[in-house]
Amino acid sequence: MSTLHTGARTHRRVLPQPAALESVPADNPGVGTKRGTDIPRTAQAGRRDTGVQHGRGETTGGAPVPGGVAAVPAGRKPSSTKQHSATQQNRTTRITSSPKQSRFTADNAVVFVLDRHKRPLMPTDCKRAKKLLARGRAVVHRKVPFTIRLKDRTVDQSMLEPLGLGIDPGSQHTGLSLDKTVEAVDESTGEVTTTRTGLWLGQLDHRGQHIHLRLVARAQRRRGRRGRNLRHRAARNRNRSVRVGWLPPSVQHRVDSTMTCVTRLQSLAPIASLRLERVSFDTHAMTAPGISGLEYQQGTLAGTEIREYLLAKFCHRCVYCDATGVGTGSVPLNIDHLLPRARGGTNRVSNLVLACVRCNQAKGARSVDAFVTDGVRRARIKAEAKTPLRDAAAMNACRNRLAAELDATGLPVEWASGGRTKWNRVRNGVPKDHSLDALCVGAVDVIVRWVPTVLHIQCVGRGRYQRVTTDRFGFPRSHRPRRKQHYGFITGDLVKAVIPTGPKAGVYRGRVIVRSTRTFRLVTPTHRYDGINCRYMTTMQRGDGYSYKARPSLQRRLAPHGDQTKAA
């Protein structure tokens, strides 16, 4: 064992190289070998321009390949130490690129990558994933979100970059954003600029309202059975004790579904930090703004974000002419009083609506009954204005629990306000969307770009525990089988059906609804097909309680800081 004395200078060629740059042989013979020794000589003679195949698909021979990798013919050493250093630097850039040379452009979608032990590596693009699959160096691990698993790479042999996960929680939808944040320091001024690139976007749709309605219907049936011509029985909930920290099932579902997505993304990408938008709604102050002192009973009036609540409530549109405040042709929106202040109106949230500048000036001090002549529109405006604050109350109930669950993951969590998110979105010209709001959460100066697709995740559940189907009076009607799996399929599985002949001949992909017979129902994003025999189906991915659908993401309206020449 040789010893290097302190202060001695060692030649660069004898220094240990990064593990990510070492050649790792693949499982298939002849692919990924260092010098092509497993390839027959006849094949080597005809493939001398292919060069050396490295760990993540880099080639070092023949013509230059895109991405800035230097071309070095196989079996030839660099002519000088300087050239060798430049080659190694280019290879490093190929694996862990800087924000200016990132592979994730607006035309690429991200593909998650796992090592041979199913541990997360850095995501890649579709083109690189196709090459790895075609060469036999990777296999498909999961269909949605699309994930591949490398056969010849481990975490110790790879170079990882810390990624961040932004979360924009909501009562009905939660935005998710997997991104990379880089801080650059200006040497002349010492100013630190934070840039962020969106690698993956997702939107999670909760089913909390559906759970609430099902629980209400169950309570009504039980209440009817107790008092309808039968012996009265006391309600069971009066004999039960509520544990500390208990949340209603409809509220607990929002926390559980969000944490499920966070945990799954942690298993697919090297997430090093979390960002959460904590929005608190003061529903008492929103209902009665003038209340104070002993009547309030809840402390100071803090945390109220009425403007953001009204924008979400009326979907960024004018209630009088349906003019939108987002997208192409957007107009400025003002807060208008249905009953003007001059006529005794208050600032209660039920008296506030959104109106464009033109309609607000035309309405003036008139009431909504005198300004709107259309009876249908007038009734709709009044109904929307009196919408209860269920969504705001649900977020107040679950925001602290969600924050505690994220702290339990052990990752650093950055808290941000809704005002900071909107400020980042407006100054960077980012359109309004749940997934893009998650990208704007936290401290950031410039948002470079984001992927062109958003994965729409909808909570559909895993079926019912109830084995007895009841009629509208709550009495048993039929019994469901206890066995949920039929002929190897479970409701919710993602399948591929290849029907060779008949009126339904073709190839279909979608979720399956099983039956006790051999004919199932197949649900695609656009149609439903009944009576498809299970022998034509092949399982692509087991059902996990969610349905997935990709949709295009919104494009940037303005360039960062209003520069129109750099619009993405």
Side-chain angles (χ1 to χ4, degrees):
M1 178 177 179
S2 60
T3 304
L4 298 179
H5 300 283
T6 305
R9 300 184 62 182
T10 307
H11 199 274
R12 294 181 61 90
R13 293 191 179 184
V14 301
L15 290 176
Q17 300 298 326
L21 300 180
E22 297 178 358
S23 300
V24 183
D27 292 350
N28 293 356
V31 179
T33 55
K34 187 173 183 180
R35 293 295 180 186
T37 54
D38 294 341
I39 304 177
R41 294 183 179 274
T42 56
Q44 292 185 18
R47 294 177 54 187
R48 289 186 182 276
D49 58 339
T50 58
V52 181
Q53 179 67 33
H54 282 278
R56 290 292 292 272
E58 298 84 4
T59 57
T60 59
V65 296
V69 179
V72 180
R76 183 183 302 176
K77 297 182 180 180
S79 58
S80 63
T81 305
K82 183 177 181 180
Q83 181 180 357
H84 178 72
S85 176
T87 304
Q88 296 292 349
Q89 184 178 2
N90 288 336
R91 293 177 186 173
T92 307
T93 305
R94 179 72 172 180
I95 297 176
T96 57
S97 55
S98 61
K100 295 182 180 180
Q101 299 175 349
S102 178
R103 297 192 307 271
F104 303 101
T105 61
D107 299 330
N108 295 334
V110 69
V111 176
F112 294 103
V113 182
L114 303 179
D115 70 345
R116 61 187 306 174
H117 301 300
K118 300 182 181 181
R119 291 178 294 182
L121 300 177
M122 288 298 296
T124 184
D125 54 4
C126 294
K127 184 181 296 185
R128 179 69 61 84
K130 289 181 180 179
K131 291 182 179 180
L132 294 174
L133 292 173
R135 294 170 181 173
R137 299 187 53 212
V139 294
V140 177
H141 179 77
R142 185 181 176 89
K143 288 289 185 179
V144 183
F146 193 76
T147 308
I148 62 175
R149 186 175 73 251
L150 297 179
K151 300 179 181 180
D152 55 358
R153 179 61 65 89
T154 61
V155 173
D156 300 334
Q157 299 170 338
S158 305
M159 299 178 64
L160 305 181
E161 297 181 11
L163 302 181
L165 178 62
I167 306 172
D168 178 31
S171 176
Q172 300 180 8
H173 314 280
T174 294
L176 301 171
S177 170
L178 184 65
D179 44 57
K180 180 172 62 176
T181 303
V182 179
E183 294 183 354
V185 181
D186 190 352
E187 298 180 356
S188 59
T189 61
E191 182 181 359
V192 179
T193 303
T194 304
T195 60
R196 183 173 297 167
T197 303
L199 306 182
W200 179 87
L201 299 176
Q203 176 179 328
L204 175 63
D205 292 350
H206 302 290
R207 56 194 297 261
Q209 185 64 19
H210 176 73
I211 295 175
H212 170 72
L213 296 178
R214 294 295 300 272
L215 292 177
V216 170
R218 187 184 68 176
Q220 292 175 352
R221 289 195 300 267
R222 289 179 176 179
R223 188 180 299 110
R225 288 201 304 262
R226 288 197 303 268
R228 187 185 300 112
N229 298 328
L230 297 174
R231 178 180 60 85
H232 177 73
R233 295 180 297 168
R236 294 180 61 186
N237 55 7
R238 298 179 182 177
N239 303 327
R240 296 177 179 178
S241 59
V242 179
R243 59 181 176 84
V244 179
W246 177 86
L247 291 177
S250 59
V251 179
Q252 183 66 37
H253 157 77
R254 295 176 171 91
V255 179
D256 295 340
S257 58
T258 303
M259 290 305 303
T260 298
C261 290
V262 172
T263 304
R264 290 182 178 178
L265 288 175
Q266 280 185 282
S267 63
L268 299 178
I271 299 176
S273 61
L274 302 174
R275 305 186 314 274
L276 176 66
E277 177 183 318
R278 298 188 66 176
V279 180
S280 59
F281 295 95
D282 197 336
T283 56
H284 199 181
M286 294 168 70
T287 305
I291 194 171
S292 61
L294 297 178
E295 297 179 357
Y296 187 72
Q297 298 180 356
Q298 295 294 334
T300 59
L301 306 179
T304 304
E305 298 187 4
I306 298 181
R307 293 181 181 272
E308 292 297 325
Y309 174 77
L310 292 176
L311 290 174
K313 180 179 180 180
F314 296 102
C315 301
H316 293 257
R317 61 175 178 82
C318 174
V319 297
Y320 301 117
C321 64
D322 295 333
T324 181
V326 295
T328 306
S330 60
V331 297
L333 298 177
N334 296 338
I335 297 179
D336 182 54
H337 296 76
L338 294 179
L339 182 62
R341 297 288 300 276
R343 296 180 179 271
T346 63
N347 288 327
R348 299 181 62 175
V349 69
S350 59
N351 192 43
L352 302 178
V353 295
L354 293 181
C356 62
V357 178
R358 181 179 179 181
C359 293
N360 192 13
Q361 294 178 354
K363 180 175 177 292
R366 291 183 291 176
S367 63
V368 64
D369 296 329
F371 178 67
V372 180
T373 58
D374 187 2
V376 177
R377 179 179 289 272
R378 183 170 59 249
R380 179 172 59 85
I381 292 174
K382 292 183 178 181
E384 291 180 353
K386 295 183 179 180
T387 302
L389 303 176
R390 292 195 185 99
D391 294 338
M395 290 308 303
N396 285 341
C398 69
R399 64 187 181 93
N400 292 330
R401 176 65 62 82
L402 181 59
E405 294 287 345
L406 292 177
D407 286 334
T409 59
L411 298 177
V413 182
E414 177 186 357
W415 316 112
S417 63
R420 180 61 181 267
T421 302
K422 182 178 180 180
W423 184 66
N424 293 335
R425 187 180 70 246
V426 172
R427 70 194 297 258
N428 285 277
V430 180
K432 173 64 178 177
D433 188 74
H434 295 286
S435 57
L436 295 179
D437 281 350
L439 180 63
C440 300
V441 172
V444 62
D445 296 324
V446 180
I447 297 178
V448 182
R449 53 182 171 267
W450 56 85
V451 291
T453 57
V454 178
L455 183 60
H456 197 100
I457 308 172
Q458 184 178 4
C459 300
V460 296
R462 296 177 179 268
R464 303 178 182 178
Y465 291 104
Q466 184 181 5
R467 297 292 92 191
V468 178
T469 304
T470 59
D471 56 10
R472 62 190 184 95
F473 300 106
F475 291 97
R477 186 184 63 181
S478 61
H479 297 267
R480 294 190 182 96
R482 292 186 176 274
R483 183 168 57 93
K484 290 187 176 183
Q485 184 174 2
H486 297 278
Y487 305 100
F489 298 93
I490 301 177
T491 298
D493 290 349
L494 183 63
V495 300
K496 176 182 178 181
V498 181
I499 304 177
T501 58
K504 300 178 182 178
V507 180
Y508 307 93
R509 293 179 178 86
R511 297 177 63 250
V512 64
I513 300 177
V514 301
R515 297 288 185 268
S516 57
T517 60
R518 299 183 65 90
T519 56
F520 298 161
R521 171 182 291 182
L522 185 63
V523 181
T524 64
T526 56
H527 296 86
R528 288 189 177 186
Y529 301 94
D530 293 323
I532 298 181
N533 199 296
C534 63
R535 70 173 182 269
Y536 300 128
M537 297 183 181
T538 305
T539 303
M540 300 173 59
Q541 180 174 304
R542 288 296 182 183
D544 55 358
Y546 299 88
S547 64
Y548 304 92
K549 181 181 179 181
R551 62 174 177 85
S553 61
L554 300 179
Q555 300 300 322
R556 192 192 300 271
R557 299 195 307 268
L558 299 174
H561 306 286
D563 188 1
Q564 296 287 350
T565 61
K566 299 181 180 180

